[in-house]
Amino acid sequence: MDRSIPMLLIGLIFGGGMGFVIAAANGITLDGHDHGAHGHGAQAAAHDHGAPIDLPAGSVTASARLEPDSVAGWNLFVEAQGFCFAPEHAGLADRKGEGHAHLYLNGAKIARLYGPAHHLDTLAPGDRLRVELNANDHRPLTVAGQPLAVELTVPDRPVGIRAGAEGLPDSAICAAP
């Protein structure tokens, strides 16, 4: 009797299991978030990135707009004054005026934003989006103790909406030092 198929299946099961064990031992999770990259270690589930960085009032302001995409879904644009996105410094020491954003959908974190634009495939009317600005080292940014964040609610029909400070220039990727 040919044993090649049962042996192949056994190999796949054990090989896949070993892959998961190796990934878990190195802090890699199925959501693509590498907990080993910024000092989580055993506290991986806690997601405590440290004490917030409180900024002077008026030093950084944020807004966001949500527009229907011309093909499908929605486009989110984050705008900030006194802040720029610095993807090459993510996970490194804090640098004044730069960082990234965390995107939440109905209270659950769904993405880390390293630039001012993000496409969302599907949103339902009434869904709540929250964009929070963070320092390079992942600590949340606050102003007067309040999170530096913008919240939007998806409208019933596909029209562009805006929230936060008005009239801000579009955020940009930080210029390379």
Side-chain angles (χ1 to χ4, degrees), residues 5 18 31 63 65 74-75 90 96 113 142-143 147 159 165 169:
I5 291 179
M18 288 302 295
D31 64 359
S63 69
R65 68 183 193 272
W74 296 85
N75 293 314
K96 184 179 176 185
L113 307 181
T142 60
V143 174
V159 296

Side-chain angles (χ1 to χ4, degrees), residues 75-133:
N75 293 314
L76 174 68
F77 299 97
V78 179
E79 301 165 349
Q81 185 173 27
F83 177 89
C84 60
F85 291 92
E88 72 280 7
H89 296 142
L92 301 178
D94 174 46
R95 288 177 142 185
K96 184 179 176 185
E98 66 178 45
H100 63 278
H102 292 172
L103 177 60
Y104 297 84
L105 174 62
N106 298 323
K109 183 177 170 186
I110 61 167
R112 194 182 299 159
L113 307 181
Y114 291 118
H118 186 74
H119 178 78
L120 296 153
D121 288 325
T122 56
L123 293 174
D127 279 348
R128 294 178 343 275
L129 293 171
R130 180 177 173 92
V131 179
E132 294 182 358
L133 298 184

